[in-house]
Amino acid sequence: MAPTTSSATTSTSSTITLHVNGEKYTLPVDRRSTLLDALRERLDLTGTKKGCDQGQCGACTVLLDGRRAVSCLQLAVAAEGREITTIEGVADGERLHPVQQAFLDLDGYQCGYCTPGQICSALGVIEEHAAGWPSAVTADVRPEAGVPQLTPEEIRERMSGNLCRCGAYVSIVQAVARAARSSDARSSDARSSETKEEAA
């Protein structure tokens, strides 16, 4: 007796809307597609690189709602409704972000393949540190201890998910430290301006 086949086939496709770099994109995707593949193959945002495709090298790092994520392990459908920032959305027009400028000034790259992921990760690191998140090397993790100093050891630990085959690690640590200082200075200036406005 021949096996019975159903005429109805189950679709594995969905139409989703992704919010990427301040723009909305509505597109059909296979529900098994990763965010990395959707960005590169469907939206032509090829700045996000495919390295190991196993979440171990960090080349595909993007920001989801401001937090770091390896896009090769994130399903595209699970990113719907979240704010996605790729390397293409980091600069302000022609003006480089301070993290990008620091990488450029301090030679925080060689071949450049891992650089987009390194920069996105650095942005996440600076925000996480400013929010007081401890790392595995933070000596005092008590809330009352305050924000730990962003030492080279802290930066190395926090950036350890991003690999660089060229070995530009020393310059990467220096670039993250410089960008973090720049971020601290901007935050301090903003607070001073607010205080002056309140006093006026």
Side-chain angles (χ1 to χ4, degrees), residues 24-176:
K24 289 185 180 180
Y25 301 91
T26 300
L27 65 158
V29 296
D30 188 303
R31 288 194 285 271
R32 299 163 294 184
S33 293
T34 64
L35 177 58
L36 173 61
D37 287 338
L39 291 171
R40 288 181 58 82
E41 297 173 14
R42 305 304 308 282
L43 301 181
D44 292 325
L45 295 171
T46 55
T48 305
K49 302 301 186 217
K50 180 175 281 199
C52 67
D53 218 16
Q54 297 177 359
Q56 296 181 17
C57 73
C60 68
T61 303
V62 298
L63 299 174
L64 286 180
D65 296 329
R67 300 298 180 204
R68 296 182 283 169
V70 282
S71 57
C72 71
L73 297 183
Q74 176 79 38
L75 291 175
V77 293
E80 187 170 23
R82 302 181 70 181
E83 291 298 326
I84 303 162
T85 303
T86 69
I87 191 65
E88 290 89 349
V90 172
D92 182 11
E94 294 297 313
R95 192 168 130 225
L96 294 179
H97 187 280
V99 172
Q100 292 174 302
Q101 192 63 58
F103 268 73
L104 184 63
D105 293 343
L106 297 168
D107 294 327
Y109 58 92
Q110 286 185 37
C111 79
Y113 193 83
C114 73
T115 307
Q118 297 274 5
I119 288 173
C120 286
S121 190
L123 290 167
V125 162
I126 292 168
E127 289 300 317
E128 291 162 14
H129 173 259
W133 291 19
S135 79
V137 299
T138 303
D140 191 344
V141 298
R142 296 173 301 156
E144 58 268 25
V147 178
Q149 187 178 357
L150 196 58
T151 61
E153 185 181 26
E154 281 278 356
I155 294 170
R156 285 193 294 271
E157 171 61 31
R158 292 168 187 265
M159 291 289 293
S160 63
N162 291 78
L163 304 181
C164 173
R165 281 194 67 180
C166 299
Y169 295 116
V170 172
S171 297
I172 290 169
V173 170
Q174 292 172 349
V176 174

